[in-house]
Amino acid sequence: MDRGCWLWIPAAAATAAVLLLWCRWRMNRMLSRLNDMLDAAVRGEFQETRYDESRLSAVEVRLSQYLAASAVTAGRLREEKETVKTLIADISHQTKTPIANVLLYAQLLEEQVPEDCRPYTAALNAQVQKLRSLIDGMVKTSRLEAGVLVLHPRPGSLGPLLEEAAAQFAVPAAEKGLTLTLVPTEVRAVFDAKWTAEAVCNLLDNAVKYTPAGGRVTLSAVPYELFCRVDVADTGPGIPEEEHAGIFRRFFRGEAAWETEGVGVGLYLVRQIAAGQGGYVKVFSRPGEGARFSLFLPRR
């Protein structure tokens, strides 16, 4: 090999090394720009910039266009969310007074009408109560879904909350001839006291409502390493397995529930409350063997 060839090899190697370094620098620069775009999008601060396609890759340009479109979509979603919040507030405000007035007039009417007309006023009262329950349930779930109400889970003992819930349903259970049992507990968990009480009361309400006279309803809590399980068990008719997946949907009513008062939003609200605290809810039931609803709450 002549001397010219020996001189050419180091020059080619140097050129290749420089080209490799330049490609690596260009790649790192592009990745850094992409990372900056994504960071700005996460913060909600991304703004579309015109890039020189002769200097930046097509991937960079397309990502910029995608993030710009996403930012527009996010803005529209925020506007729609604010509209929903306003609508929910209006519905809640506008319906409270008329329903309260109808209940008041129904009660006054019941005191004035003859005895043989009392069943009609009682039916009127029941329907208005059902309407109020429906609207209250829909407003609560809509507020949670729209982010109007935010749950604030804090560490605490579940004992006092379960005691208050059991005391609230002691009279309805006794009037129906049910045995309501609270298993004492000192279990601690991380939960929003107000909304967790709402969830537990919804489960107790269903248990008392669907359990026939002479049955039992039991409220208890079982600690695990990561979660605490709050159980509401009853000796009611039970729930077929094919309905287990649907009972937590809004307005779902099982075959055995059609003859019982209800609107089908209670269990849906329980699921929303559980999910909002990092927990979940499950049902264990077979026809003729009662049901056990378990609300799982994080312990940390």
Side-chain angles (χ1 to χ4, degrees):
M1 184 178 293
D2 57 22
R3 184 177 179 183
C5 291
W6 287 106
L7 293 176
W8 177 81
I9 292 175
T15 302
V18 170
L19 182 61
L20 179 63
L21 290 174
W22 180 83
C23 289
R24 182 174 297 178
W25 170 84
R26 181 177 174 82
M27 178 63 68
N28 288 337
R29 178 171 174 270
M30 186 180 71
L31 291 175
S32 177
R33 295 285 294 272
L34 295 177
N35 188 62
D36 290 343
M37 289 182 190
L38 293 173
D39 285 343
V42 170
R43 295 193 306 269
E45 301 172 355
F46 180 80
Q47 294 182 351
E48 186 176 9
T49 305
R50 293 186 178 276
Y51 295 102
D52 183 356
E53 295 193 34
S54 65
R55 294 189 298 112
L56 297 176
S57 70
V59 173
E60 205 171 1
V61 175
R62 292 182 67 183
L63 179 61
S64 169
Q65 294 170 347
Y66 170 76
L67 292 178
S70 298
V72 173
T73 302
R76 290 175 180 170
L77 288 176
R78 283 193 297 269
E79 293 177 359
E80 291 176 2
K81 189 174 181 180
E82 290 300 320
T83 302
V84 170
K85 286 182 180 181
T86 303
L87 180 61
I88 292 171
D90 289 343
I91 292 173
S92 177
H93 176 73
Q94 297 294 336
T95 57
K96 280 182 178 180
T97 301
I99 290 177
N101 288 338
V102 173
L103 279 172
L104 175 61
Y105 292 133
Q107 292 169 359
L108 293 174
L109 183 62
E110 188 172 11
E111 297 174 359
Q112 302 295 325
V113 298
E115 189 68 28
D116 58 343
C117 294
R118 296 288 174 84
Y120 302 108
T121 56
L124 176 61
N125 265 309
Q127 291 301 313
V128 177
Q129 292 284 8
K130 183 177 180 179
L131 177 61
R132 182 166 68 176
S133 176
L134 172 62
I135 292 177
D136 285 347
M138 290 181 62
V139 168
K140 287 174 182 177
T141 54
S142 298
R143 282 178 171 176
L144 285 173
E145 291 171 342
V148 178
L149 296 177
V150 181
L151 279 69
H152 299 285
R154 292 184 176 86
S157 174
L158 279 168
L161 184 150
L162 300 185
E163 290 173 5
E164 292 180 9
Q168 182 176 336
F169 285 88
V171 173
E175 289 177 347
K176 194 175 179 181
L178 304 178
T179 300
L180 175 57
T181 303
L182 169 64
V183 179
T185 182
E186 296 182 358
V187 173
R188 295 181 63 84
V190 179
F191 59 96
D192 182 297
K194 176 184 175 182
W195 285 101
T196 303
E198 177 89 19
V200 173
C201 286
N202 280 349
L203 295 178
L204 282 173
D205 182 54
N206 279 352
V208 171
K209 187 186 299 179
Y210 294 110
T211 303
R216 299 185 308 276
V217 177
T218 305
L219 177 60
S220 61
V222 180
Y224 294 101
E225 182 178 355
L226 298 178
F227 287 89
C228 171
R229 192 185 82 206
V230 178
D231 288 338
V232 176
D234 63 59
T235 58
I239 304 169
E241 186 174 353
E242 59 269 20
E243 294 183 1
H244 288 189
I247 57 177
F248 296 104
R249 296 202 305 264
R250 196 200 306 253
F251 302 128
F252 181 88
R253 302 279 286 167
E255 289 291 334
W258 287 108
E259 297 180 357
T260 307
E261 289 293 331
V263 292
V265 297
L267 290 178
Y268 176 78
L269 182 57
V270 171
R271 188 184 71 173
Q272 294 295 106
I273 292 172
Q277 303 181 91
Y280 58 99
V281 62
K282 296 184 69 175
V283 60
F284 305 88
S285 180
R286 291 180 181 176
E289 299 181 11
R292 187 187 82 216
F293 285 87
S294 297
L295 175 63
F296 290 82
L297 301 170
R299 300 195 68 188
R300 300 186 180 88

